[in-house]
Amino acid sequence: MQRLNNKIAIIAGGATGIGAACATRFVRDGAKVVIGDINIEAAQALADSLGNTGNTAKAVYYDAADADSIKNLIDTTADTFGAIHILHNNAGLMSPKVMDADSTVVDIALDLWNTVLAVNVTSFLLGSKFAIPHIIKAGGGSIINTSSDSGLAGDLARTAYGASKAMVISLTQHIAVQYGLQGIRCNAITPGVIMSEQARVNSQDLVRAIKSHILTPDFGEPADIAALAAFLASDESAYITGQAIACDGGHLAHQPQVADVRRSQTTPG
Ligand SMILES: NC(=O)c1ccc[n+]([C@@H]2O[C@H](COP(=O)([O-])OP(=O)(O)OC[C@H]3O[C@@H](n4cnc5c(N)ncnc54)[C@H](O)[C@@H]3O)[C@@H](O)[C@H]2O)c1
């Protein structure tokens, strides 16, 4: 018996990177998975490759910035598979173009702020809003929201990204409180640097700077998030809800001076 047998899951933003790893893992663990993404070519290719394993995956075009498109993703899943048990809200604007323009409070353009919040957090609200009645009808289930350790501390730039990811944690708690008695658990994952293809093309200076602040020898991979997401999706985590769970190599788990002390210990003189 696989732990996601008989479960119907949606990965919203599942075509590449962390979302693709989660879709792959959920299918491997027995779920039927709908991969929603604006990058429909990559979503379709992934669904085809997972379908070829004899398991079930379906790609659906969805634009996280468009409420009707989000509703269509949810309704198509319910119509196709008859139920929804798991929603993983994962879409995020990660391109260098957006990340580089996402600057300081004084300099950020209002349009950019609104775009980042629409995709990174409003889409999570809407996906949950439309999916929750289906999940309750199915007897309960699990909502997983991809936040970030950027939502847990301030930074020199990427104001909209950090604020959006902090909002995801609060949204997670509100869902957990409001629908817990109806059998819905909701948890956020706060990844640190995870070596998705997108992260590899983002600012390598920033990635290098973070390296001395993690406690593990290497950065995480999308499969590390997928392992946690599969646990949170399954009944094995039945008593865990309303939490923001870090998967970040201990990035925020240490005294701020640890990297400086380590450097001084390895620097002669
Ligand atoms: N990689 C990291 O280091 C890291 C760290 C913390 C949090 N995260 C979060 O993890 C999630 C996945 O990031 P990733 O690194 O795998 O990057 P990614 O770019 O591979 O994944 C983002 C996915 O969202 C989709 N997407 C973007 N805009 C969309 C839209 N308007 N409508 C529908 N889909 C859309 C993309 O096509 C892609 O499939 C994001 O929410 C990101 O903020 C990533």
Side-chain angles (χ1 to χ4, degrees):
M1 173 80 175
Q2 294 169 292
R3 63 179 168 179
L4 298 182
N5 264 1
N6 303 319
K7 303 283 189 196
I8 315 298
I10 302 171
I11 318 277
T16 59
I18 289 170
C22 291
T24 304
R25 179 67 192 243
F26 283 18
V27 166
R28 197 185 95 190
D29 286 356
K32 293 185 169 63
V33 173
V34 170
I35 301 159
D37 211 283
I38 201 163
N39 182 351
I40 188 62
E41 292 81 13
Q44 189 62 58
L46 178 61
D48 289 346
S49 73
L50 294 173
N52 286 340
T53 65
N55 294 315
T56 306
K58 178 182 172 67
V60 174
Y61 172 85
Y62 111 107
D63 178 358
D66 174 17
D68 290 342
S69 179
I70 299 170
K71 186 158 191 323
N72 179 61
L73 171 65
I74 305 298
D75 290 348
T76 302
T77 305
D79 290 347
T80 306
F81 294 117
I84 301 170
H85 305 99
I86 298 158
L87 170 65
H88 185 168
N89 290 305
N90 179 70
L93 281 175
M94 293 282 288
S95 70
K97 190 173 160 223
V98 172
M99 287 299 210
D100 291 348
D102 185 0
S103 56
T104 59
V105 168
V106 169
D107 291 338
I108 192 169
L110 181 58
D111 278 359
L112 186 98
W113 169 270
N114 286 333
T115 301
V116 171
L117 262 63
V119 172
N120 287 15
V121 62
T122 307
S123 78
F124 289 25
L125 168 80
L126 291 173
S128 305
K129 177 184 174 67
F130 299 136
I132 283 169
H134 291 286
I135 302 176
I136 292 172
K137 202 169 142 202
S142 173
I143 297 177
I144 300 154
N145 293 324
T146 306
S147 174
S148 168
D149 63 4
S150 301
L152 297 169
D155 208 342
L156 295 167
R158 294 166 296 283
T159 310
Y161 185 78
S164 73
K165 293 301 187 180
M167 284 178 72
V168 166
I169 294 171
S170 178
L171 175 65
T172 298
Q173 293 166 333
H174 281 76
I175 294 169
V177 170
Q178 292 168 14
Y179 303 100
L181 293 181
Q182 288 156 287
I184 295 184
R185 295 181 299 105
C186 184
N187 292 287
I189 298 175
T190 61
V193 171
I194 298 293
M195 280 298 156
S196 63
E197 280 173 37
Q198 193 60 67
R200 286 182 207 281
V201 300
N202 284 353
S203 168
Q204 287 309 306
D205 287 349
L206 181 63
V207 168
R208 261 191 297 277
I210 294 171
K211 182 85 188 189
S212 60
H213 294 276
I214 61 169
L215 308 180
T216 50
D218 297 308
F219 286 128
E221 294 291 332
D224 295 313
I225 303 297
L228 176 55
F231 170 66
L232 292 174
S234 77
D235 296 340
E236 288 171 33
S237 58
Y239 201 45
I240 301 176
T241 192
Q243 304 304 308
I245 301 172
C247 184
D248 66 352
H251 183 204
L252 296 184
H254 55 78
Q255 299 292 341
Q257 70 276 14
V258 164
D260 294 331
V261 173
R262 274 179 175 167
R263 243 189 314 272
S264 70
Q265 284 170 343
T266 54
T267 308

